[in-house]
């Protein structure tokens, strides 16, 4: 049996010590309980991505010394986590017997007026730094420090340094309504659900209508939607909502032009121009085969430009100016990137593309901003309008009586050539991407092509990029679902030029990021759901539970050794659903659509017969669970095709039998759709994220009749039962 730990000899090696010093994992246990030790070459490459030289023995020794010296030279760490209601001890690096002086500036700008106790160190763990010894003193952050992001000022002698204090609750408290009852809602891909007023793709006005109707017609309390992070400014648009240009802002291609207040102020001739533009793409609303974002956006963008150029009343201009001011440099970064993309084109892979030649300080970029001030302001304006329309949708949801409203989805990372990476490259590791190690589903591992945030830069900047993103999402939602929440704890980094299996885990300070989630969720009275599917280390599960973060439970995944667990045994603090967007809808899964897709696209790693046999075995095991627990009449299984809808509803009766506080019903299951929205492991081989909502007959289901659908009503009756 292989020992699942590193030997003392390996742990004593300088390279291993250096890696562990900065949070780079040097071994891991895989999905099959297989133990791996990371090769030296991979560790050297990942350390290089963190800006650390480990190219030879001398460099490793020097890097260790520099890191330790830098940590002891600082008076205090740049970011400190404090738990509200408790005293926190902060170590301060001082001379022997020196006593620090401390004060705190609150997030509001006011000074904290309480007592901050300090004390000297005893010199027992002195560190030699140059010609002096560094000891450790203490500063006590008091228990009554309010929740928020504050600044600690520490002085020792003539030296003063600041640190960001993230003062967070120890957990996210359940909203009162979740303490008392189970809530349910719908899962939907916004772009796939169109109305008569859509421009070929579902938009924010459709979202608003859907939220209000979902509450009125089905008593749902939330809708979980695909990520709405910012996209490219011009076509072609990236189909995947999980590969955004920026996570800081929202996708302005979802704007409804006619819902902009200035539209109503246009004269008749100009409104007619916009109507004619809408008429050009209106036929797209009836296309049941493919969502055509690019055609939609080429036409809609012209309409938005007309409205933008029409101007705004003073009050509205003042609101726009305030938005620009509040958004600050972040908005300038995204708008400037959009302008460059608009005028210079997609960066591409060439070494001389504009993203590689220029940066935010380049005179060429400044010149472009001066040359096209209106276009630059247009992109600022688009973001303002998109933000307003999304906020209006959430406000309308809450006014309609929904307890949560929008459940937003947070992607793992951003596009490698997007605005976040171009404007602030220092925030990201250079020469590495994020993915996953080999597992049951992909023996070669996965490379998601997304550059990872640098844990060093996060700490040095008080996690401001993460704080701003989470705050922005909760400003427009009642709950946030975090894709691959394991990424708050560790991410699989793959060095440039390496295969996905030749990577290593890099660890993050999950306590700080969970603290930020607790602050923002508490301020919004919201809920955080972590997508924790797959193999999750026990310490992660324990931490998420401790911090009040809900997990995810999927009915088709709740099995062990070929036997499905009865729903009454599922987790309480979880969002439970029958399926996910990476599986075909229930009707499709019951008809083995997952087998057909993989066969058609040659994605099978085993024979078609073997894969189908495994799928049939799983199918039969699910039917057995449904029958044994009284959710399904066994007589219906004599002709499954004729009773498929009853079987789908049995899956939802089982879901309703779970104790999970949040339940989600898929809109695709409510209309009888069979097609998968996404097929993992493919790009253009399958129309991922481009499948319109259609019923069992393949006919488009418009938003106007969505909640009239008998299947939707029947599913809602089950969820409300």
């Amino acid at each position: 049996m292989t020992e699942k730990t590193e030997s003392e000899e390996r742990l004593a090696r300088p390279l291993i010590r250096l890696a562990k010093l900065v949070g780079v994992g040097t071994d891991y246990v895989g999905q099959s309980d297989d133990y791996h030790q990371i090769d030296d070459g991979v560790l050297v490459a990942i350390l290089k991505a963190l800006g650390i030289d480990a190219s030879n023995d001398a460099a490793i020794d020097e890097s260790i010394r520099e890191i330790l010296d830098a940590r002891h030279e600082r008076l205090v760490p740049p970011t400190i986590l404090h738990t509200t209601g408790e005293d926190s001890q902060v170590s301060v690096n001082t001379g022997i017997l020196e006593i620090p002086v401390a004060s705190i500036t609150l997030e509001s700008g006011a000074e904290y007026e309480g007592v901050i106790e300090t004390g000297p160190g005893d010199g027992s763990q002195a560190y030699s730094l140059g010609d002096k010894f560094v000891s450790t003193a203490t500063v006590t952050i008091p228990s009554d420090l309010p929740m928020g992001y504050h600044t600690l000022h520490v002085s020792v002698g003539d030296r003063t340094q600041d640190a960001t204090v993230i003062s967070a609750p120890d957990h996210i408290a359940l909203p009162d309504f979740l303490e008392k009852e189970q809530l349910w809602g719908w899962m939907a891909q916004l772009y796939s659900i169109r109305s008569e007023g859509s421009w070929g793709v579902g938009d924010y006005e459709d979202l608003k209508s859907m939220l209000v109707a979902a509450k009125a017609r089905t008593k749902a309390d939330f809708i979980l939607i695909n990520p709405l992070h910012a996209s490219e400014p011009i076509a072609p648009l990236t189909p995947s909502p999980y590969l955004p240009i920026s996570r800081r802002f929202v996708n302005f291609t979802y704007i409804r032009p006619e819902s902009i207040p200035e539209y109503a102020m246009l004269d008749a001739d100009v409104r007619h121009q916009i109507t004619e533009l809408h008429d050009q793409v209106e036929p797209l609303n009836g296309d049941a085969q493919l969502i055509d974002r690019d055609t939609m956006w080429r036409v809609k963008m012209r309409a938005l430009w007309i409205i933008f150029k029409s101007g705004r009343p003073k009050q509205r201009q003042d609101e726009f100016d305030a938005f620009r001011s509040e958004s600050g440099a972040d908005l300038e970064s995204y708008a400037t990137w959009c302008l460059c993309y608009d005028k210079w084109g997609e960066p591409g892979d060439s070494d001389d593309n504009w993203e590689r030649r220029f940066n935010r300080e380049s005179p060429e970029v400044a010149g472009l901003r001066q040359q096209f001030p209106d276009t630059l302001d247009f992109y600022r304006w688009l973001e303002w309008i998109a933000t307003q329309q999304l906020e209006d949708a959430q406000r309308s949801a809450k006014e309609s009586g929904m307890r949560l409203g929008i459940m937003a989805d947070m992607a793992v990372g951003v596009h490698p050539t997007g605005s976040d990476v171009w404007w602030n490259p220092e925030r990201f590791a250079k020469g590495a991407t994020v993915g996953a190690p080999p597992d049951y589903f992909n023996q070669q591992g996965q490379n998601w092509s997304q550059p990872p945030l640098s844990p060093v830069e996060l700490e040095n900047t008080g996690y401001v990029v993460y704080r701003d993103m989470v705050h922005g999402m909760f400003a427009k939602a009642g709950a946030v679902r975090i894709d691959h929440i394991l990424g708050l704890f560790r991410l699989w980094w793959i060095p440039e030029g390496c295969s996905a299996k030749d990577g290593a885990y890099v660890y993050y300070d999950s306590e700080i990021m969970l603290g930020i989630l607790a602050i923002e969720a508490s301020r919004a009275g919201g809920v955080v759901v972590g997508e924790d599917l797959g193999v999750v280390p026990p310490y992660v599960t324990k931490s998420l539970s401790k911090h009040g973060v809900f997990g995810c439970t999927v009915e088709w995944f709740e099995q062990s050794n070929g036997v499905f667990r009865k729903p009454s045994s599922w987790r309480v603090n979880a969002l439970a659903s029958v399926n996910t967007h990476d599986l075909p809808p229930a009707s499709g899964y019951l008809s083995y659509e997952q087998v057909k897709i993989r066969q058609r696209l040659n994605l099978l790693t085993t024979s078609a017969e073997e894969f189908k046999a495994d799928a049939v075995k799983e199918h039969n095991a699910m039917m057995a669970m449904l029958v044994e627990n009284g959710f399904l009449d066994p007589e219906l299984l004599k002709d499954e095709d004729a009773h498929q809808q009853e079987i789908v509803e049995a899956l939802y009766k089982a879901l309703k039998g779970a104790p999970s506080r949040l339940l989600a019903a898929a809109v695709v299951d409510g209309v009888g759709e069979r097609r998968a929205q996404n097929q993992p492991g493919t790009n253009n081989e399958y129309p991922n994220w481009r499948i319109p909502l259609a019923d069992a007959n393949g006919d488009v289901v418009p938003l106007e009749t969505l909640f009239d659908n008998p299947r939707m009503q029947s599913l809602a009756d089950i969820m409300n039962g």
Side-chain angles (χ1 to χ4, degrees):
M1 179 178 173
T2 304
E3 190 72 22
K4 294 180 181 177
T5 185
E6 294 172 287
S7 67
E8 290 186 12
E9 181 182 13
R10 177 174 166 84
L11 290 172
R13 292 181 59 216
L15 177 61
I16 303 302
R17 288 173 49 219
L18 174 59
K20 291 184 179 296
L21 188 63
V22 294
V24 177
T26 57
D27 65 342
Y28 76 99
V29 177
Q31 188 177 45
S32 303
D33 208 31
D34 45 324
Y35 179 67
H36 302 266
Q37 292 186 346
I38 308 302
D39 292 341
D40 287 3
V42 172
L43 294 175
V44 170
I46 287 178
L47 288 167
K48 182 179 179 181
L50 284 166
I52 298 169
D53 186 3
S55 57
N56 54 56
D57 291 347
I60 291 171
D61 290 341
E62 179 65 13
S63 292
I64 292 174
R65 186 188 64 77
E66 287 179 353
I67 290 167
L68 291 175
D69 283 359
R71 291 180 181 178
H72 286 88
E73 194 168 20
R74 272 196 65 92
L75 292 179
V76 287
T79 302
I80 295 165
L81 178 64
H82 167 69
T83 301
T84 56
E86 301 177 7
D87 287 344
S88 297
Q89 297 290 323
V90 178
S91 294
V92 182
N93 293 317
T94 68
I96 303 297
L97 300 180
E98 285 186 319
I99 299 177
V101 175
S103 62
I104 296 175
T105 300
L106 300 176
E107 184 177 7
S108 64
E111 292 301 309
Y112 172 73
E113 296 181 353
V115 176
I116 302 175
E117 297 181 353
T118 61
D122 59 10
S124 60
Q125 295 184 356
Y127 178 84
S128 176
L129 184 63
D131 59 354
K132 61 182 179 180
F133 285 96
V134 175
S135 183
T136 303
T138 59
V139 168
T140 300
I141 299 179
S143 60
D144 64 351
L145 186 71
M147 181 177 73
Y149 310 109
H150 315 300
T151 304
L152 172 69
H153 314 283
V154 177
S155 297
V156 177
D158 58 357
R159 298 175 63 205
T160 298
Q161 283 184 345
D162 294 344
T164 299
V165 178
I166 295 174
S167 181
D170 62 359
H171 71 286
I172 301 167
L174 277 178
D176 290 342
F177 50 77
L178 269 180
E179 288 275 12
K180 303 171 185 175
E181 59 185 301
Q182 186 181 63
L183 297 188
W184 80 274
W186 295 102
M187 299 190 298
Q189 301 295 316
L190 173 59
Y191 54 82
S192 72
I193 305 174
R194 289 82 58 88
S195 67
E196 184 179 341
S198 304
W199 289 58
V201 177
D203 57 34
Y204 293 129
E205 188 66 25
D206 293 324
L207 175 60
K208 175 181 173 180
S209 299
M210 186 162 49
L211 287 160
V212 173
K215 182 61 181 178
R217 300 294 308 281
T218 68
K219 301 180 182 178
D221 275 305
F222 64 87
I223 296 182
L224 167 60
I225 52 175
N226 53 279
L228 299 177
H229 303 307
S231 74
E232 297 91 346
I234 58 174
L237 305 177
T238 300
S240 174
Y242 291 93
L243 190 60
I245 295 306
S246 170
R247 293 191 296 174
R248 171 67 175 84
F249 292 107
V250 299
N251 192 323
F252 51 56
T253 69
Y254 286 110
I255 291 173
R256 173 72 66 86
E258 297 89 338
S259 297
I260 300 171
E262 283 69 45
Y263 171 79
M265 303 175 191
L266 300 174
D267 61 46
D269 289 343
V270 178
R271 285 203 305 274
H272 182 67
Q273 290 179 44
I274 293 174
T275 299
E276 288 184 327
L277 288 169
H278 177 267
D279 289 346
Q280 290 180 28
V281 293
E282 193 278 333
L284 297 177
N285 292 329
D287 187 341
Q289 299 305 311
L290 199 66
I291 292 290
D292 189 348
R293 289 181 177 83
D294 293 344
T295 298
M296 172 279 295
W297 185 234
R298 289 187 187 102
V299 176
K300 185 193 284 188
M301 193 178 187
R302 289 161 59 192
L304 292 169
W305 178 259
I306 291 171
I307 299 172
F308 167 72
K309 292 295 288 182
S310 72
R312 291 154 292 286
K314 183 180 184 305
Q315 180 180 348
R316 288 274 293 166
Q317 183 62 45
D318 289 346
E319 291 176 13
F320 179 32
D321 292 342
F323 175 80
R324 288 177 54 181
S325 177
E326 291 165 7
S327 301
D330 288 343
L331 180 60
E332 289 309 297
S333 70
Y334 179 51
T336 301
W337 183 89
C338 286
L339 175 65
C340 294
Y341 194 106
D342 184 325
K343 301 304 179 183
W344 292 334
E346 184 180 359
D349 294 327
S350 64
D351 290 336
D352 64 346
N353 74 58
W354 61 265
E355 276 206 332
R356 292 176 182 171
R357 289 165 54 208
F358 307 138
N359 58 39
R360 65 191 183 198
E361 306 295 337
S362 297
E364 292 85 353
V365 172
L368 195 70
R369 285 168 54 93
Q370 293 172 2
Q371 184 180 358
F372 297 102
D374 278 4
T375 308
L376 179 63
D377 211 34
F378 177 55
Y379 286 120
R380 300 184 187 112
W381 176 83
L382 285 176
E383 192 55 43
W384 174 55
I385 295 297
T387 299
Q388 285 196 322
Q389 291 194 357
L390 182 53
E391 289 176 344
D392 185 44
Q394 172 63 6
R395 184 166 50 250
S396 296
K398 298 302 289 287
E399 289 173 354
S400 75
M402 275 192 164
R403 255 73 73 87
L404 291 176
I406 295 171
M407 182 179 289
D409 202 350
M410 181 192 295
V412 178
V414 294
H415 199 290
T417 64
S419 63
D420 284 3
V421 180
W422 178 64
W423 192 269
N424 294 112
E426 69 281 356
R427 293 177 176 175
F428 298 86
K430 300 172 181 65
T433 53
V434 173
D439 57 25
Y440 292 136
F441 304 104
N442 195 321
Q443 295 177 353
Q444 299 302 313
Q446 300 174 58
N447 189 333
W448 303 332
S449 303
Q450 299 170 333
L453 285 168
S454 166
V456 176
E457 187 68 12
L458 282 170
E459 182 186 22
N460 288 340
T461 57
Y463 287 74
V464 66
V465 62
Y466 191 74
R467 286 158 41 190
D468 288 346
M469 177 181 61
V470 176
H471 175 77
M473 294 189 73
F474 266 114
K476 312 168 193 71
V480 172
R481 173 193 179 274
I482 301 176
D483 195 40
H484 191 66
I485 199 165
L486 185 60
L488 299 191
F489 297 81
R490 67 184 191 186
L491 280 172
W492 183 255
W493 285 27
I494 306 162
E496 189 175 297
C498 292
S499 68
K501 63 183 179 181
D502 295 321
Y505 281 113
V506 175
Y507 289 80
Y508 291 76
D509 195 324
S510 59
E511 288 294 304
I512 288 180
M513 288 192 280
L514 288 166
I516 292 167
L517 286 169
I519 291 173
E520 299 301 337
S522 297
R523 287 176 168 176
V527 174
V528 175
V529 176
E531 187 271 291
D532 58 351
L533 303 173
V535 176
V536 178
Y539 80 92
V540 172
T541 302
K542 182 177 180 181
S543 177
L544 294 176
S545 176
K546 168 192 165 190
H547 286 280
V549 175
F550 282 29
C552 285
T553 296
V554 176
E555 190 165 355
W556 281 106
F557 297 163
E558 284 297 306
Q559 53 179 300
S560 178
N561 297 320
V563 177
F564 281 91
R565 302 181 185 92
K566 56 184 180 181
S568 60
S569 69
W570 296 358
R571 289 182 289 176
V572 173
N573 288 336
L575 169 69
S577 61
V578 171
N579 43 33
T580 79
H581 55 241
D582 287 334
L583 297 177
S587 290
Y589 206 77
L590 291 169
S591 301
Y592 303 107
E593 181 69 15
Q594 71 278 23
V595 177
K596 298 170 188 173
I597 291 174
R598 293 184 181 223
Q599 282 181 307
R600 188 169 69 247
L601 301 179
N602 297 315
L603 297 175
L604 298 178
T605 56
T606 62
S607 69
E609 293 76 18
E610 185 178 351
F611 188 74
K612 177 65 180 289
D614 287 343
V616 170
K617 185 177 179 181
E618 178 191 56
H619 178 107
N620 292 339
M622 175 63 83
M623 297 306 102
M625 186 278 287
L626 295 175
V627 169
E628 289 168 9
N629 289 278
F631 301 119
L632 178 65
D633 182 350
E635 288 296 311
L636 300 179
L637 297 177
K638 293 178 179 178
D639 188 348
E640 290 192 24
D641 289 342
H643 299 288
Q644 192 173 89
Q645 182 56 26
E646 290 98 322
I647 297 173
V648 170
E649 293 189 357
L651 290 168
Y652 277 91
K653 290 175 183 176
L655 177 68
K656 181 63 178 175
S660 306
R661 296 186 190 273
L662 295 173
L663 304 179
V667 167
V668 286
D669 292 342
V671 300
E673 172 70 89
R674 293 171 179 266
R675 297 169 297 175
Q677 195 58 233
N678 178 52
Q679 175 55 53
T682 65
N683 186 12
N684 290 320
E685 304 94 321
Y686 185 83
N688 296 322
W689 316 111
R690 286 167 281 184
I691 302 294
L693 184 67
D695 61 20
N697 298 319
D699 297 325
V700 165
V701 180
L703 178 57
E704 288 86 351
T705 61
L706 175 61
F707 294 104
D708 295 328
N709 189 298
R711 289 189 175 196
M712 288 285 287
Q713 286 294 324
S714 182
L715 213 55
D717 288 343
I718 292 171
M719 302 306 291
N720 287 316

